[in-house]
Amino acid sequence: MRNAVVLILVTAMAGVLWWQSRDPVRPSPADRAQHARKTLELPAEQPELRAATREPSLSPPPPPPAPGPPAPTLHPGKALTISLSEPPALQYLQGVSSDSDDHYRQLVRELSGGRAQYDPNLSRAAREMVYQTTEFGEIVPSDVRDFAVASSGAVAADSSFQQLRTTSDGEQPLRQAISAIVRDKEAVSDGPLFVGVGEVYRHGLTMPRHIGVVGTHLGAQVRPLPVQLAAGAVWPVRARLLASWHGVKALVLHPDARQEELPVQVRGDELSVDVTAGRLRGPMDVQLVGEGPRGPGKILQLRAWIDQPPPRTLATRVPADETRLRTFSEAEAYAFALMNSDRAAHRLAAFGWDPQLSAIARKHSEEMRDRDFFSHLSPTTGAPGDRIKAGGYRAAQYAENVAHNGTLHEAQSGLMHSLGHRRNLLATDTTVAGIGVAMRGTGKERRFWVTQLFAKPADQRSDEELTAAVVDLIQKRRAAAGVAEVGIDTPLSQSAAVGAQAAAQGQVDGASSKALADAESRDLVKGRMHAWVLVTPQVDGMELPEPLLAGDVRAVGVAVVRERGEGVRIAVMLLIQRDNSP
């Protein structure tokens, strides 16, 4: 039997659609995933702009698009418990080099031209992954691979895994496996490449020598950290930037599935964030994310165990057999069902299926496959927002995830494990989704390029309907504050429209003064007058100014003007007339 090379993708995120291709099967790069989120609001530093809070809609939104076609029923495989071949590490980056490591290090340096760095901790992860594949007899599920990395004391971001099985005892198989990782064009990322190499011999098998190579691009190098924490303890994460990242923040997933976002202190190339463990026992995941030279992405991800030692076993389930997925529509529906199944498990409403988003996403996946790149940024279509706009889609909010994987289940599982991608999947400020997938190969060699697009469609109501919604919101908020309804004054509203028009045209600075000047020219300024302006993608549930809820408000002018053209922003202007006495 000829040597078999299996490339396993270890990713943080995935969602999948299937596009059949007649292209020849090529060695596939590792599973990877990236995420991007954007809220279409003006910059907060503009003095007259306030960000809208997201509260339940006061008027029912239009019904979301119907779900995709029913997904084929693929029964999950059997439940099982896996055990590590070595005790879990008690500290990150505590690995000690052996003679074998010295040899692997030389090969990595030689085959990468000095570009990649060897990491004995990643080698332990590679060795564990290889061992588990010999136990499974197949490619192991992503949760097992994630468990192997976390248990090894290695630090990783999105990573790739190359496995090779052989009867040869020579050096050539090692070179082949390492080369597949260090020469992977799609794995180019914002940070140097770290590589680990591991081997396992299982006598009695047709191909007893199993070689595994793990590669990950790290945006920062972490200082050694303990793996176990006491409840309520502070985990001091300290790292040194290895690439040009900005807007760095920490995403934290607590044992009870509570998510938290923490600011990261950056001084020069030094990062620091103190993560406080909760009182619940179990795993706590921490991910550093930011904006790198190639766009938004993951810098690294870590796991700590609260009030318990790191476990040596993991309960998992063999993924369902996806070979019955034969058509594009079946694969698309199944991937969408996996996504909404994860939302249901967290008691969240299902995403509505949006075929227009799916078409936009599919084109990006096809381009990634055909041009051999993996990124939110396309050399031809630009960033996610550029693609959405070019596709004629009007979104008040949007987010994008991309992944590259061998199965739909592995893609979705990897996405849920990565905190940035997980946040997109479990978001409540987007309501519809489209999944676009491109595919190459067949059977066990099948590979998927996946793009997930999430959106909240732009409000399609007219200016008059939006104004009515704002007036309704004002009266309900006043009632909740225990004050009487206020009169909506038509002349004041006409002056407010002058400011709203300016804000809708991008002239937020000065919009209030224009509205006040118009009111004064018409002799409408009686008593104390407050002007307030907001530019937002949605008016339902928006924040209102405190003076509006005062008991001495005598009249209010309300104007709402939508940004013209393809824009989705809505300008809201209020003129609030109060008694003279302070």
Side-chain angles (χ1 to χ4, degrees):
M1 183 180 295
R2 64 181 184 179
N3 294 350
V5 178
V6 181
L7 181 59
I8 306 177
L9 316 161
V10 182
T11 182
M13 152 180 175
V16 186
L17 283 165
W18 175 17
W19 191 88
Q20 290 186 322
S21 168
R22 297 183 180 179
D23 292 349
V25 177
R26 294 185 290 178
S28 52
D31 293 353
R32 284 174 293 278
Q34 297 184 14
H35 65 97
R37 290 189 63 79
K38 184 172 182 178
T39 299
L40 297 182
E41 294 177 302
L42 292 177
E45 58 266 25
Q46 299 192 37
E48 294 173 322
L49 176 70
R50 302 186 185 185
T53 58
R54 299 184 179 94
E55 300 179 9
S57 175
L58 297 178
S59 59
T73 301
L74 301 179
H75 297 290
K78 64 178 181 178
L80 73 163
T81 299
I82 66 105
S83 298
L84 296 173
S85 63
E86 303 175 49
L90 299 179
Q91 186 171 350
Y92 279 102
L93 304 177
Q94 201 176 31
V96 178
S97 295
S98 64
D99 291 342
S100 295
D101 287 310
D102 292 338
H103 181 57
Y104 298 149
R105 182 178 288 103
Q106 292 175 7
L107 288 176
V108 168
R109 184 185 302 114
E110 174 193 339
L111 295 172
S112 69
R115 177 176 59 89
Q117 302 180 40
Y118 180 79
D119 182 357
N121 300 281
L122 281 175
S123 289
R124 179 173 175 176
R127 192 163 58 245
E128 188 64 52
M129 289 184 200
V130 171
Y131 172 78
Q132 295 301 335
T133 61
T134 65
E135 291 290 287
F136 271 83
E138 296 287 347
I139 296 175
V140 297
S142 61
D143 59 343
V144 176
R145 299 198 300 271
D146 294 334
F147 181 56
V149 172
S151 300
S152 69
V155 177
D158 295 331
S159 57
S160 54
F161 176 40
Q162 174 75 45
Q163 178 183 322
L164 188 148
R165 306 168 184 174
T166 181
T167 58
S168 170
D169 289 328
E171 191 175 90
Q172 185 55 35
L174 271 175
R175 290 177 169 272
Q176 183 179 348
I178 294 171
S179 295
I181 295 295
V182 301
R183 297 176 184 174
D184 181 4
K185 291 186 296 182
E186 286 192 1
V188 175
S189 187
D190 296 326
L193 175 65
F194 289 81
V195 176
V197 183
E199 296 188 62
V200 171
Y201 284 85
R202 297 300 295 266
H203 298 291
L205 298 180
T206 304
M207 291 183 286
R209 187 185 182 191
H210 294 245
I211 300 170
V213 182
V214 175
T216 185
H217 286 267
L218 290 178
Q221 182 65 64
V222 173
R223 307 287 188 266
L225 274 170
V227 171
Q228 186 176 351
L229 295 175
V234 173
W235 207 32
V237 179
R238 305 290 183 265
R240 180 175 59 86
L241 280 174
L242 301 176
S244 178
W245 290 83
H246 64 275
V248 180
K249 55 192 173 185
L251 307 179
V252 184
L253 179 65
H254 293 275
D256 59 354
R258 177 174 60 90
Q259 296 190 62
E260 181 181 16
E261 182 177 309
L262 299 175
V264 176
Q265 300 232 346
V266 182
R267 294 181 178 176
D269 62 354
E270 295 295 320
L271 305 179
S272 66
V273 58
D274 291 332
V275 183
T276 302
R279 296 293 174 183
L280 294 177
R281 189 171 182 265
M284 179 179 72
D285 290 326
V286 177
Q287 183 180 109
L288 298 185
V289 298
E291 290 278 342
R294 300 172 191 274
K298 183 198 302 184
I299 299 174
L300 56 87
Q301 185 159 328
L302 304 165
R303 170 171 289 180
W305 292 90
I306 301 173
D307 257 5
Q308 71 174 80
R312 187 160 182 169
T313 61
L314 173 71
T316 187
R317 185 177 292 274
V318 177
D321 181 5
E322 296 181 10
T323 57
R324 283 190 290 162
L325 297 175
R326 298 293 185 185
T327 67
F328 174 90
S329 59
E330 285 180 338
E332 175 174 325
Y334 184 59
F336 187 61
L338 289 174
M339 174 192 291
N340 276 332
S341 176
D342 281 332
R343 287 182 65 83
H346 290 81
R347 300 182 180 180
L348 296 173
F351 281 127
W353 176 254
D354 194 311
Q356 189 178 359
L357 283 178
S358 179
I360 296 169
R362 189 175 305 115
K363 288 181 180 179
H364 184 57
S365 293
E366 291 171 354
E367 186 186 22
M368 288 193 293
R369 177 200 61 196
D370 297 341
R371 289 177 172 264
D372 288 325
F373 76 95
F374 182 76
S375 175
H376 294 295
L377 298 177
S378 159
T380 59
T381 63
D386 299 321
R387 292 188 287 274
I388 289 174
K389 183 177 180 180
Y393 194 93
R394 300 178 72 243
Q397 307 219 139
Y398 67 84
E400 180 183 85
N401 291 340
V402 295
H404 184 197
N405 207 289
T407 71
L408 304 180
H409 177 274
E410 290 298 287
Q412 181 64 20
S413 176
L415 289 169
M416 285 296 291
H417 176 73
S418 177
L419 304 192
H421 312 129
R422 178 190 182 95
R423 183 171 61 175
N424 288 346
L425 287 162
L426 302 183
T428 57
D429 55 0
T430 48
T431 57
V432 296
I435 302 177
V437 174
M439 176 262 189
R440 176 180 288 132
T442 58
K444 294 180 182 179
E445 302 298 323
R446 192 162 56 181
R447 304 295 307 166
F448 296 98
W449 286 257
V450 182
T451 303
Q452 294 179 332
L453 277 178
F454 313 91
K456 180 172 184 178
D459 199 321
Q460 300 298 322
R461 289 175 288 182
S462 67
D463 289 356
E464 292 73 18
E465 291 171 322
L466 290 170
T467 300
V470 172
V471 171
D472 185 54
L473 175 62
I474 290 171
Q475 306 296 16
K476 287 183 177 179
R477 291 286 175 79
R478 284 182 62 84
V483 291
E485 283 194 4
V486 66
I488 305 302
D489 187 86
T490 299
L492 278 179
S493 296
Q494 292 170 348
S495 292
V498 174
Q501 289 282 1
Q505 295 170 9
Q507 302 169 23
V508 180
D509 291 336
S512 292
S513 60
K514 288 183 178 181
L516 287 171
D518 185 83
E520 188 172 3
S521 70
R522 300 168 65 186
D523 197 26
L524 299 176
V525 178
K526 310 292 185 183
R528 290 181 292 158
M529 186 77 76
H530 297 273
W532 181 86
V533 65
L534 170 72
V535 179
T536 176
Q538 54 191 25
V539 299
D540 295 325
M542 70 181 186
E543 181 184 0
L544 291 176
E546 185 177 346
L548 186 63
L549 306 180
D552 62 353
V553 175
R554 293 293 170 251
V556 176
V558 181
V560 181
V561 177
R562 183 195 303 279
E563 185 181 33
R564 301 310 176 194
E566 298 179 352
V568 299
R569 299 177 301 178
I570 300 165
V572 180
M573 187 81 210
L574 303 180
L575 288 178
I576 306 164
Q577 189 179 81
R578 300 175 67 182
D579 285 342
N580 272 317
S581 56

